[in-house]
Every structure is written in C-alpha cells, then in structure tokens.
C-alpha cells in the first residue's frame, strides 16, 4: 500500500522526499479554488509564478495576469483572486499567469522534484480522489498555509482527501493523521468550523464572504488540473 | 488580552516573534515528561544540550548524563529517556545533563530570544496554566515534534494548555486553533486518541508502553521548570 502524507506548510517541505510522490497542492482560500474553477470554465492554461515581477513579464507577453498579495489584487493586473472572477466567458481559451501570496509559491517549491503536481480543492475533491486511487505512487498533500504557517482550511482539505483515500493508501505520519481527524470533526459544517480561523477573519475584513462558502463546496467540478511544462492544464 | 500561539515544530520557529513571549517547550514522549518528573522528585537542575558531544563534555565535568537518539539511550551515558528513571532517589540533588532527539533541540532554539523558557507536560499542566494566568506576556507553546515534523502528542498538549487558558489569552492563529480542537476531540481518552500516532508506534516497537500512559496523565506534579542560566530548575 502506498503512503499518504501531508505537509502542513511549504516551510516544512524540506522534510519530505518527493521522488516517488505525486504532490497535490492546495490553497483553499483561494488560489487552487480559482484554478479549478477557471480550468473547469474553459481557461486553456494557468501558469503559476512565484513573484509579481514574473507575473508582469508574462502579462507583457500577452497572458491575462492575476496577482494577489495579502488577499488583495495588486495594482496593474487584470484579475483578482476570487473564484467568481474565473467564471468569465471572456476567459474561455485564455492563457492566464497567476501569482498569489501562498498557493503559487507552493507550486514553485514542489515542481521539479515530484512525479507530478496536481491541484486540489474541495471543488474537485471527488474526481481528484478517483484519479489518485489508480496511481502507483505515494501522495503528498502540500498545504499552502499563510506565509509559512499552517492554516485550518488547507489542513481540512488534506484531511478530506485522506478520508477519501483511506482504503487505498496508508497513513504513517501525524501530519496526515491530525488533518484527517480535524476534517472528521468539522465535516458536518465546514463553514462554521472555519469561521474563527485566521484567514476567514482576514477575508471577512475584506468583505469576501461568498468566496469562503463557495470554496468549501465539495465536488462542483470533475476536473484534475496538472502541471505540464510549467503551466496548469486539465488532465485528459 | 495577550496572545496564545502554538508553533507545531521547531522548524517553523523562524515565523514567530519571541521578544514579548514566554515560550513553553513541550516534548511529551518523553523529554519534558522526564524533566518535570525529575525536578519534582528532587533533581537540582537539568542542563539541556543540543548535541551528544556537549552532553559528554558535561558528563566529564561531573554531571549525570542522559543522551537519547531515536528513542534509545546512547552508549556510554548514565540515564535513558524514561520518566521512571528520573524517580531514582540517587538523583535527589543531582545535576543532570540531557540531550534528546527533539526536546532539547527545541529548548536550544528558543533560549535567548524569549522572555523566558518554561517546560510543559501533561504532568504539570494545571500548575503551569495557573502560573501563566498571572503573566503579562504572550505565550508560545513550542512543540518539539519528531525530526522537524509535527506530532500528535505535543500538539495535544498545546491544545490542552490553550483550553486551560482560553479565558485569559486570545487565540489569533490557526496552529493554536487546530491544537485546541484536536485536544477537545481526544481529551476523553487521550491514550486511545494517540494510539495510532507515529511516535507511539515507534515507542511500542521498543516496548515502552508504560511511559506512554504515564506521560498522558494530567497534574501529577505542581512544579514549573524554568530555564535559568542554561539550566532547568524549579520556579520558586
């Protein structure tokens, strides 16, 4: 039985061996919820970059560019970090460049070493789990956290995936065990369970209530975004 | 209201400001459970050091020396890492030097920057909480984890202290929130709640059952170990 593990923040990624692992990157509020939504709505590709400067360089080369820092859109960019902005019909077939405070940084850290990098959110949980059930590799969920610290919502997603895959994968480490327990504790009402988390309070100060409840919905889309040649595209 | 925060592993300590914080170091299985037990039984001081070499140097200067690596005693040292070894009458008044895989490394990382460093375990939870209720500083629980990774038992202790201090301190960050939730989920039967954790499985392979159940007992001792001049002594 292959191993299912969870890395609670990118600042702990150095403790994990990725050579035989599929890495599932998650950033529930809101980068990976945006990615799943955009690709499900027909965006052609999303190129995640770590810095605002790289994002601007891609914008100058014709990409539609999305840059977020501290939960707000950076001046001079086209798109903000709300999943609802990715439902725009004008984005069908578009190439997007994206940088966010946490999520795109995680992807940058994971790429290269892992077998492949997939994108996970509650929005595509079931389809992602179904895909992973047939994989011969270990799985590591990389939670993006907040500026290096663990956060509740990404941990809950990791726990939800652990729970979905508990018959196919073995859990050996406490990070995954704690995530799974927290998800089982909170799953009956995730919205209320995350209500006092630091990032929800941060987003609520910015008036982003609807993004929160949207991003906690399970299985809205049957897509699995995968990183190919530096860009996220839908797995066929 | 001052802030109560939790650092899930020493590898994330760089994300925390310690200038206005009391740091409570915990390593439930088994370093801080040993420290609390030893000092409660009359050991004069315990000098935590990060390396086996430093421990040997103190042994040569007359300290009783305890060195543990990977949950086993290192050859050539006097004491192992079982709390029961610290109940020995011959240790009354003794000066002990100690190095362990995780716990003493945490103490080394915390000292210097923090207002003070205290030692926490379930064994002295109530007395420690009572002491902290009267402090004017922030509190950070530093979980020692296992080789940089978070672990369940230290997280549960952090959650127990969060729960004990919830009326006196404010929780702003998700690390503390997750610890508190996990403790509340598991507190009715901590022994069963930790039974599948990685470190319990590791210790059980070594036959150390009784150390596990002992270290999960609340409030056996009314002591607060504090780091003074590089050594742990009882707070008067």
């Amino acid at each position: 039985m292959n191993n299912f593990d969870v890395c609670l923040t990118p600042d702990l990624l150095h403790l994990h061996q990725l050579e035989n692992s599929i890495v599932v990157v998650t950033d529930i509020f809101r980068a990976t919820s945006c990615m799943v939504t955009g690709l499900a709505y027909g965006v052609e590709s999303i190129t995640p970059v770590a810095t605002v400067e790289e994002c601007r360089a891609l914008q100058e080369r014709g990409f539609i560019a999305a840059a977020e820092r501290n939960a707000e859109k950076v001046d001079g960019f086209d798109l903000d970090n709300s999943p609802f902005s990715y439902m725009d019909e004008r984005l069908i077939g578009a190439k997007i460049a994206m940088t966010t405070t946490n999520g795109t940084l995680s992807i940058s850290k994971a790429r290269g070493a892992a077998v492949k990098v997939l994108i996970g959110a509650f929005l595509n949980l079931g389809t992602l789990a179904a895909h992973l059930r047939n994989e011969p590799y270990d799985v590591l969920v990389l939670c993006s956290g907040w500026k290096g610290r663990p956060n509740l919502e990404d941990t809950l997603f990791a726990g939800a995936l652990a729970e979905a895959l508990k018959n196919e994968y073995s859990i050996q480490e406490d990070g995954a065990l704690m995530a799974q327990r927290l998800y089982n504790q909170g799953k009956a009402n995730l919205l209320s369970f995350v209500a006092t988390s630091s990032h929800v309070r941060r987003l609520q100060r910015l008036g982003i209530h609807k993004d929160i409840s949207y991003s906690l919905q399970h299985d809205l889309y049957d897509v699995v975004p995968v990183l190919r040649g530096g860009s996220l595209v839908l797995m066929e």
Side-chain angles (χ1 to χ4, degrees), chain A residues 155-172:
Chain A
T155 305
L156 288 170
F157 168 78
L161 194 58
E163 188 63 21
L165 296 173
K166 66 183 176 187
N167 296 324
E168 292 82 13
Y169 287 83
S170 149
I171 289 180
Q172 298 291 333

Side-chain angles (χ1 to χ4, degrees), chain A residues 4-8 24-28 120-122 125 128 139-144 151-165 171 175-184:
Chain A
F4 182 95
D5 203 359
V6 174
C7 182
L8 293 175
V24 176
V25 174
T26 193
D27 181 359
I28 296 300
F122 287 108
L125 176 66
L128 179 65
V139 169
L140 177 71
V141 181
L142 174 54
C143 298
S144 298
N151 74 26
L152 182 58
E153 63 276 13
D154 295 349
T155 305
L156 288 170
F157 168 78
L161 194 58
E163 188 63 21
L165 296 173
I171 289 180
L177 192 65
M178 292 194 285
Q180 188 182 20
R181 299 245 173 110
L182 282 166
Y183 176 71
N184 282 327

Side-chain angles (χ1 to χ4, degrees), chain A residues 5 86 94 184 197 208:
Chain A
D5 203 359
Y86 288 77
N184 282 327
S197 78
I208 311 175

Side-chain angles (χ1 to χ4, degrees), chain A residues 20-199:
Chain A
N20 194 45
S21 293
I22 295 173
V23 173
V24 176
V25 174
T26 193
D27 181 359
I28 296 300
F29 301 143
R30 296 167 288 167
T32 64
S33 296
C34 287
M35 290 165 177
V36 167
T37 301
L39 290 165
Y41 269 80
V43 166
E44 182 181 316
S45 68
I46 298 176
T47 305
V49 293
T51 66
V52 171
E53 292 66 34
E54 291 169 274
C55 200
R56 204 180 314 274
L58 289 176
Q59 188 180 30
E60 286 163 7
R61 287 173 44 200
F63 285 68
I64 293 174
E68 168 270 336
R69 283 296 179 273
N70 298 312
E72 300 192 83
K73 189 175 88 160
V74 181
D75 284 348
F77 286 89
D78 309 306
L79 271 171
D80 65 14
N81 198 33
S82 167
F84 292 99
S85 302
Y86 288 77
M87 298 173 183
D88 190 327
E89 287 204 1
R90 289 167 292 185
L91 296 180
I92 294 175
K95 293 182 179 182
I96 293 176
M98 186 193 287
T99 186
T100 71
T101 311
N102 305 294
T104 58
L105 187 66
S106 304
I107 296 170
S108 303
K109 284 195 170 189
R111 61 184 290 194
V115 173
K116 58 185 165 188
V117 174
L118 305 179
I119 296 300
F122 287 108
L123 300 171
N124 72 334
L125 176 66
T127 303
L128 179 65
H131 171 79
L132 291 170
R133 279 191 195 100
N134 298 314
E135 286 282 6
Y137 302 102
D138 293 334
V139 169
L140 177 71
V141 181
L142 174 54
C143 298
S144 298
W146 180 261
K147 298 185 177 179
R149 297 192 186 201
N151 74 26
L152 182 58
E153 63 276 13
D154 295 349
T155 305
L156 288 170
F157 168 78
L161 194 58
E163 188 63 21
L165 296 173
K166 66 183 176 187
N167 296 324
E168 292 82 13
Y169 287 83
S170 149
I171 289 180
Q172 298 291 333
E173 296 290 335
D174 287 4
L177 192 65
M178 292 194 285
Q180 188 182 20
R181 299 245 173 110
L182 282 166
Y183 176 71
N184 282 327
Q185 189 180 7
K187 66 185 175 188
N189 190 342
L190 281 184
L191 190 59
S192 122
F193 199 69
V194 304
T196 53
S197 78
S198 61
H199 200 45

Side-chain angles (χ1 to χ4, degrees), chain A residues 178-230:
Chain A
M178 292 194 285
Q180 188 182 20
R181 299 245 173 110
L182 282 166
Y183 176 71
N184 282 327
Q185 189 180 7
K187 66 185 175 188
N189 190 342
L190 281 184
L191 190 59
S192 122
F193 199 69
V194 304
T196 53
S197 78
S198 61
H199 200 45
V200 165
R201 285 184 281 115
R202 197 178 295 118
L203 291 172
Q204 281 175 337
R205 279 196 297 275
L206 297 167
I208 311 175
H209 308 277
K210 67 177 186 175
D211 289 8
I212 297 168
S213 51
Y214 171 81
S215 300
L216 294 175
Q217 293 176 96
H218 291 49
D219 302 327
L220 288 194
Y221 308 114
D222 59 353
V223 300
V224 179
V226 58
L227 192 66
R228 291 236 167 93

